[in-house]
Amino acid sequence: MFKDMPNDFRIQKVKKNFASTHNASAHVHPFHEIFYLANGECNVIINNKIYRFMKGDIVIVPSGEIHRTNYVGKGTHERIIISFREDVIHWIKAFAGDAIVDECFKAQVISIPEKRRDYVEGLMNKLLFESEEQDVLSPAFVR
């Protein structure tokens, strides 16, 4: 399944309740995704490689990579999803160089230390808030 998005950048909070294991369908899209798991646990399969994804972890899914998420356990799974097209990161590549950015945007799981999770979640919640275009400066903040 091929999925696309209508704009260059999107951030959303997704909360799902499962009574048992739930498997999302495999899909691919022309934009990068960063998932932050705020609650629950799951497995992410990216190009047939399985990554264990726990509360406080970030998963990077590069554009064009086939992937799916398997939620494990019961209860609430909550994640923040940041999706963006390649064009959005051109300015980062111009500043830091292709090699560094390409290394950062490869498929991987990054575990955020527990003492830093409140900070990371706070930044993401501010980004969520500003993405709702609170005022004239919101688009600049999100960019």
Side-chain angles (χ1 to χ4, degrees):
M1 174 187 269
F2 181 80
K3 294 185 177 183
D4 202 357
M5 61 183 205
N7 48 15
D8 290 339
F9 177 87
R10 177 179 63 201
I11 183 168
Q12 59 187 335
K13 186 179 276 190
V14 177
K15 187 184 274 190
K16 297 181 179 183
N17 290 308
F18 296 110
S20 62
T21 303
H22 174 78
N23 298 322
S25 60
H27 62 279
V28 64
H29 39 69
F31 52 87
H32 302 285
E33 286 185 319
I34 297 174
F35 299 108
Y36 176 77
L37 193 62
N39 193 36
E41 59 185 272
C42 55
N43 297 318
V44 177
I45 302 165
I46 306 171
N47 285 335
N48 297 317
K49 186 172 180 182
I50 299 172
Y51 298 88
R52 184 75 170 167
F53 191 25
M54 307 293 284
K55 178 180 178 176
D57 287 348
I58 292 176
V59 171
I60 297 175
V61 180
S63 67
E65 302 283 328
I66 190 163
H67 61 283
R68 72 177 194 184
T69 304
N70 296 333
Y71 295 95
V72 294
K74 297 178 181 179
T76 302
H77 295 79
E78 183 176 357
R79 63 183 174 165
I80 298 171
I81 306 167
I82 301 172
S83 306
F84 53 94
R85 296 188 188 283
E86 186 70 24
D87 293 347
V88 173
I89 60 173
H90 283 308
W91 69 272
I92 299 172
K93 286 186 172 188
F95 177 74
D98 288 347
I100 291 172
V101 174
D102 290 344
E103 181 66 21
C104 290
F105 286 103
K106 66 180 183 181
Q108 60 183 307
V109 173
I110 301 166
S111 294
I112 304 298
E114 192 170 340
K115 66 182 180 180
R116 297 285 185 208
R117 290 181 191 162
D118 287 341
Y119 177 75
V120 170
E121 285 184 42
L123 287 175
M124 291 191 180
N125 284 324
K126 287 177 184 176
L127 191 53
L128 279 162
F129 177 79
E130 294 294 343
S131 72
E132 296 171 356
E133 296 191 22
Q134 300 300 320
D135 58 39
V136 70
L137 295 176
S138 292
F141 178 80
V142 170
R143 183 98 173 133

